[in-house]
Short mmCIF file of all heavy atoms in Angstrom, two decimals:
data_model
loop_
_atom_site.label_atom_id
_atom_site.label_comp_id
_atom_site.label_asym_id
_atom_site.label_seq_id
_atom_site.Cartn_x
_atom_site.Cartn_y
_atom_site.Cartn_z
N VAL A 26 0.16 3.25 10.36
CA VAL A 26 -0.68 2.22 9.59
C VAL A 26 -0.65 0.97 10.47
O VAL A 26 0.25 0.64 11.09
CB VAL A 26 0.05 1.93 8.19
CG1 VAL A 26 1.44 1.41 8.35
CG2 VAL A 26 -0.89 0.96 7.43
N SER A 27 -1.82 0.36 10.46
CA SER A 27 -2.01 -0.84 11.19
C SER A 27 -1.21 -1.97 10.56
O SER A 27 -0.81 -1.89 9.36
CB SER A 27 -3.48 -1.26 11.29
OG SER A 27 -3.94 -1.54 10.05
N PHE A 28 -0.96 -3.04 11.24
CA PHE A 28 -0.25 -4.21 10.69
C PHE A 28 -0.90 -4.98 9.50
O PHE A 28 -0.28 -5.39 8.61
CB PHE A 28 0.15 -5.24 11.76
CG PHE A 28 -1.11 -6.15 12.15
CD1 PHE A 28 -1.34 -7.39 11.60
CD2 PHE A 28 -1.93 -5.74 13.13
CE1 PHE A 28 -2.30 -8.18 12.06
CE2 PHE A 28 -2.94 -6.49 13.56
CZ PHE A 28 -3.14 -7.64 12.93
N THR A 29 -2.25 -4.74 9.43
CA THR A 29 -2.95 -5.25 8.24
C THR A 29 -2.86 -4.31 7.03
O THR A 29 -3.13 -4.73 5.91
CB THR A 29 -4.42 -5.43 8.57
OG1 THR A 29 -5.00 -4.17 8.83
CG2 THR A 29 -4.60 -6.42 9.77
N GLY A 30 -2.44 -2.98 7.35
CA GLY A 30 -2.47 -2.11 6.26
C GLY A 30 -3.78 -1.42 6.02
O GLY A 30 -3.94 -0.51 5.11
N ILE A 31 -4.89 -1.89 6.68
CA ILE A 31 -6.19 -1.41 6.46
C ILE A 31 -6.41 -0.03 7.02
O ILE A 31 -7.07 0.81 6.45
CB ILE A 31 -7.18 -2.47 6.97
CG1 ILE A 31 -7.13 -3.77 6.08
CG2 ILE A 31 -8.67 -1.89 6.83
CD1 ILE A 31 -8.00 -4.88 6.54
N ARG A 32 -6.01 0.08 8.28
CA ARG A 32 -6.25 1.30 9.02
C ARG A 32 -5.02 2.23 9.01
O ARG A 32 -3.94 1.83 9.25
CB ARG A 32 -6.67 0.88 10.48
CG ARG A 32 -7.89 0.15 10.62
CD ARG A 32 -8.47 0.04 11.97
NE ARG A 32 -9.53 -0.81 12.03
CZ ARG A 32 -10.77 -0.50 11.81
NH1 ARG A 32 -11.03 0.79 11.39
NH2 ARG A 32 -11.85 -1.31 11.92
N THR A 33 -5.27 3.54 8.69
CA THR A 33 -4.24 4.53 8.76
C THR A 33 -4.73 5.76 9.55
O THR A 33 -5.90 5.88 9.78
CB THR A 33 -3.75 4.99 7.37
OG1 THR A 33 -4.90 5.58 6.74
CG2 THR A 33 -3.32 3.81 6.48
N TYR A 34 -3.86 6.48 9.95
CA TYR A 34 -4.12 7.74 10.73
C TYR A 34 -3.08 8.78 10.48
O TYR A 34 -1.91 8.44 10.39
CB TYR A 34 -4.23 7.52 12.18
CG TYR A 34 -4.31 8.81 13.07
CD1 TYR A 34 -5.55 9.53 13.02
CD2 TYR A 34 -3.27 9.38 13.63
CE1 TYR A 34 -5.63 10.73 13.62
CE2 TYR A 34 -3.27 10.66 14.32
CZ TYR A 34 -4.51 11.25 14.35
OH TYR A 34 -4.67 12.44 14.98
N ARG A 35 -3.64 9.98 10.14
CA ARG A 35 -2.68 11.10 10.05
C ARG A 35 -3.33 12.29 10.79
O ARG A 35 -4.48 12.50 10.66
CB ARG A 35 -2.55 11.52 8.57
CG ARG A 35 -1.76 10.63 7.70
CD ARG A 35 -2.18 10.70 6.35
NE ARG A 35 -3.46 10.19 6.05
CZ ARG A 35 -4.16 10.19 4.97
NH1 ARG A 35 -3.65 10.64 3.79
NH2 ARG A 35 -5.40 9.74 4.86
N PRO A 36 -2.53 13.18 11.38
CA PRO A 36 -3.07 14.36 12.05
C PRO A 36 -3.43 15.32 10.95
O PRO A 36 -3.04 15.29 9.84
CB PRO A 36 -1.94 14.81 12.92
CG PRO A 36 -0.68 14.31 12.15
CD PRO A 36 -1.07 12.95 11.60
N ASP A 37 -4.25 16.34 11.42
CA ASP A 37 -4.76 17.29 10.41
C ASP A 37 -3.63 18.08 9.75
O ASP A 37 -3.81 18.56 8.61
CB ASP A 37 -5.73 18.31 11.12
CG ASP A 37 -6.98 17.63 11.48
OD1 ASP A 37 -7.41 16.64 11.01
OD2 ASP A 37 -7.67 18.25 12.38
N SER A 38 -2.53 18.20 10.48
CA SER A 38 -1.45 19.09 9.91
C SER A 38 -0.90 18.46 8.59
O SER A 38 -0.19 19.22 7.87
CB SER A 38 -0.34 19.11 11.00
OG SER A 38 0.15 17.98 11.34
N VAL A 39 -1.01 17.18 8.34
CA VAL A 39 -0.49 16.57 7.22
C VAL A 39 -1.52 15.88 6.26
O VAL A 39 -1.12 15.33 5.21
CB VAL A 39 0.58 15.51 7.47
CG1 VAL A 39 1.73 16.11 8.41
CG2 VAL A 39 -0.07 14.30 8.23
N LYS A 40 -2.75 15.93 6.63
CA LYS A 40 -3.88 15.36 5.89
C LYS A 40 -3.90 16.00 4.42
O LYS A 40 -3.73 17.14 4.34
CB LYS A 40 -5.21 15.47 6.51
CG LYS A 40 -5.42 14.40 7.47
CD LYS A 40 -6.91 14.51 8.07
CE LYS A 40 -7.18 13.38 9.18
NZ LYS A 40 -8.45 13.59 9.79
N GLY A 41 -4.06 15.17 3.42
CA GLY A 41 -4.04 15.64 2.03
C GLY A 41 -2.65 15.91 1.41
O GLY A 41 -2.50 16.06 0.20
N ARG A 42 -1.60 15.68 2.31
CA ARG A 42 -0.17 15.92 1.87
C ARG A 42 0.63 14.54 2.05
O ARG A 42 1.49 14.27 1.20
CB ARG A 42 0.42 16.99 2.53
CG ARG A 42 -0.21 18.34 2.36
CD ARG A 42 0.50 19.53 2.86
NE ARG A 42 0.83 19.42 4.26
CZ ARG A 42 1.94 19.31 4.84
NH1 ARG A 42 3.03 19.45 4.04
NH2 ARG A 42 2.12 19.34 6.12
N PHE A 43 0.41 13.93 3.18
CA PHE A 43 1.21 12.62 3.43
C PHE A 43 0.38 11.43 3.29
O PHE A 43 -0.73 11.46 3.81
CB PHE A 43 1.72 12.72 4.93
CG PHE A 43 2.82 13.82 5.24
CD1 PHE A 43 3.07 14.78 4.33
CD2 PHE A 43 3.51 13.64 6.33
CE1 PHE A 43 4.03 15.70 4.62
CE2 PHE A 43 4.49 14.61 6.75
CZ PHE A 43 4.84 15.58 5.75
N THR A 44 0.95 10.46 2.72
CA THR A 44 0.33 9.12 2.62
C THR A 44 1.26 8.03 3.01
O THR A 44 2.39 7.96 2.54
CB THR A 44 -0.10 8.89 1.14
OG1 THR A 44 -0.93 9.91 0.70
CG2 THR A 44 -0.88 7.56 0.94
N ILE A 45 0.76 7.19 3.89
CA ILE A 45 1.50 6.03 4.33
C ILE A 45 1.03 4.75 3.72
O ILE A 45 -0.18 4.61 3.56
CB ILE A 45 1.46 5.93 5.98
CG1 ILE A 45 2.42 4.90 6.38
CG2 ILE A 45 0.07 5.62 6.45
CD1 ILE A 45 2.68 4.89 7.95
N SER A 46 1.81 3.83 3.30
CA SER A 46 1.47 2.62 2.73
C SER A 46 2.36 1.55 3.04
O SER A 46 3.62 1.73 3.33
CB SER A 46 1.29 2.83 1.20
OG SER A 46 2.58 3.13 0.64
N ARG A 47 1.91 0.26 2.89
CA ARG A 47 2.77 -0.86 3.30
C ARG A 47 2.92 -1.60 1.95
O ARG A 47 2.02 -1.77 1.13
CB ARG A 47 2.11 -1.81 4.28
CG ARG A 47 1.60 -1.22 5.49
CD ARG A 47 1.20 -2.32 6.50
NE ARG A 47 2.44 -2.96 7.04
CZ ARG A 47 2.76 -3.02 8.27
NH1 ARG A 47 1.92 -2.41 9.23
NH2 ARG A 47 3.81 -3.68 8.68
N ASP A 48 4.14 -2.29 1.77
CA ASP A 48 4.28 -3.23 0.74
C ASP A 48 4.60 -4.58 1.40
O ASP A 48 5.75 -4.76 1.94
CB ASP A 48 5.56 -2.85 -0.11
CG ASP A 48 5.74 -3.77 -1.27
OD1 ASP A 48 5.40 -5.04 -1.14
OD2 ASP A 48 6.20 -3.26 -2.36
N MET A 49 3.59 -5.44 1.51
CA MET A 49 3.74 -6.61 2.23
C MET A 49 4.69 -7.58 1.72
O MET A 49 5.39 -8.37 2.39
CB MET A 49 2.31 -7.41 2.29
CG MET A 49 1.28 -6.65 3.18
SD MET A 49 1.82 -6.37 4.93
CE MET A 49 0.21 -6.07 5.68
N ALA A 50 4.83 -7.61 0.36
CA ALA A 50 5.82 -8.46 -0.31
C ALA A 50 7.21 -8.12 0.07
O ALA A 50 8.15 -8.95 0.27
CB ALA A 50 5.53 -8.43 -1.78
N LYS A 51 7.54 -6.85 0.22
CA LYS A 51 8.87 -6.39 0.52
C LYS A 51 9.05 -6.08 2.13
O LYS A 51 10.18 -5.84 2.39
CB LYS A 51 9.20 -5.11 -0.31
CG LYS A 51 9.20 -5.29 -1.78
CD LYS A 51 9.57 -3.95 -2.49
CE LYS A 51 9.58 -4.11 -4.02
NZ LYS A 51 9.81 -2.92 -4.69
N SER A 52 8.03 -6.17 2.76
CA SER A 52 7.99 -5.80 4.25
C SER A 52 8.62 -4.42 4.45
O SER A 52 9.47 -4.27 5.36
CB SER A 52 8.89 -6.92 4.99
OG SER A 52 8.21 -8.18 4.92
N THR A 53 8.11 -3.44 3.74
CA THR A 53 8.53 -2.06 3.97
C THR A 53 7.27 -1.23 4.08
O THR A 53 6.19 -1.58 3.71
CB THR A 53 9.27 -1.64 2.71
OG1 THR A 53 8.57 -1.74 1.52
CG2 THR A 53 10.58 -2.45 2.54
N VAL A 54 7.51 -0.02 4.61
CA VAL A 54 6.50 0.95 4.79
C VAL A 54 6.93 2.22 4.21
O VAL A 54 8.06 2.67 4.47
CB VAL A 54 6.15 1.16 6.24
CG1 VAL A 54 5.08 2.25 6.42
CG2 VAL A 54 5.45 -0.17 6.80
N THR A 55 6.18 2.85 3.39
CA THR A 55 6.61 4.10 2.70
C THR A 55 5.73 5.25 3.08
O THR A 55 4.53 5.12 3.38
CB THR A 55 6.46 3.92 1.19
OG1 THR A 55 7.30 2.88 0.70
CG2 THR A 55 6.83 5.11 0.46
N LEU A 56 6.39 6.37 3.30
CA LEU A 56 5.71 7.58 3.59
C LEU A 56 5.95 8.58 2.44
O LEU A 56 7.07 9.00 2.10
CB LEU A 56 6.21 8.30 4.90
CG LEU A 56 5.49 9.69 5.19
CD1 LEU A 56 4.04 9.36 5.61
CD2 LEU A 56 6.20 10.25 6.39
N GLU A 57 4.82 8.85 1.63
CA GLU A 57 4.92 9.83 0.48
C GLU A 57 4.54 11.13 1.10
O GLU A 57 3.46 11.38 1.66
CB GLU A 57 3.85 9.48 -0.53
CG GLU A 57 4.22 8.05 -1.23
CD GLU A 57 5.15 8.30 -2.37
OE1 GLU A 57 5.52 9.36 -2.64
OE2 GLU A 57 5.42 7.29 -3.02
N MET A 58 5.43 12.17 0.91
CA MET A 58 5.21 13.51 1.47
C MET A 58 5.15 14.45 0.26
O MET A 58 6.09 14.66 -0.47
CB MET A 58 6.27 13.94 2.41
CG MET A 58 6.40 12.89 3.67
SD MET A 58 7.53 13.46 4.81
CE MET A 58 9.06 13.51 3.87
N ASN A 59 3.98 15.12 0.04
CA ASN A 59 3.81 16.10 -1.10
C ASN A 59 3.50 17.58 -0.51
O ASN A 59 3.12 17.72 0.70
CB ASN A 59 2.73 15.68 -1.94
CG ASN A 59 2.93 14.34 -2.50
OD1 ASN A 59 4.02 14.11 -3.15
ND2 ASN A 59 1.96 13.46 -2.52
#
């Protein structure tokens, strides 16, 4: 994920299953894996 949180990238192997997100208030980055 870009530092703005606007742009993300995932390879095809995890598309539809992994989601990356930023919490700017907490300065953390989360990876949800389903």
Side-chain angles (χ1 to χ4, degrees):
V26 60
S27 64
F28 73 95
T29 62
I31 294 174
R32 298 192 185 277
T33 62
Y34 171 74
R35 289 155 294 179
D37 289 343
S38 58
V39 304
K40 273 183 182 175
R42 302 189 299 120
F43 289 15
T44 302
I45 189 170
S46 60
R47 309 190 72 123
D48 185 328
M49 293 300 201
K51 296 180 180 179
S52 294
T53 58
V54 175
T55 298
L56 181 67
E57 296 271 2
M58 304 186 295
N59 298 310

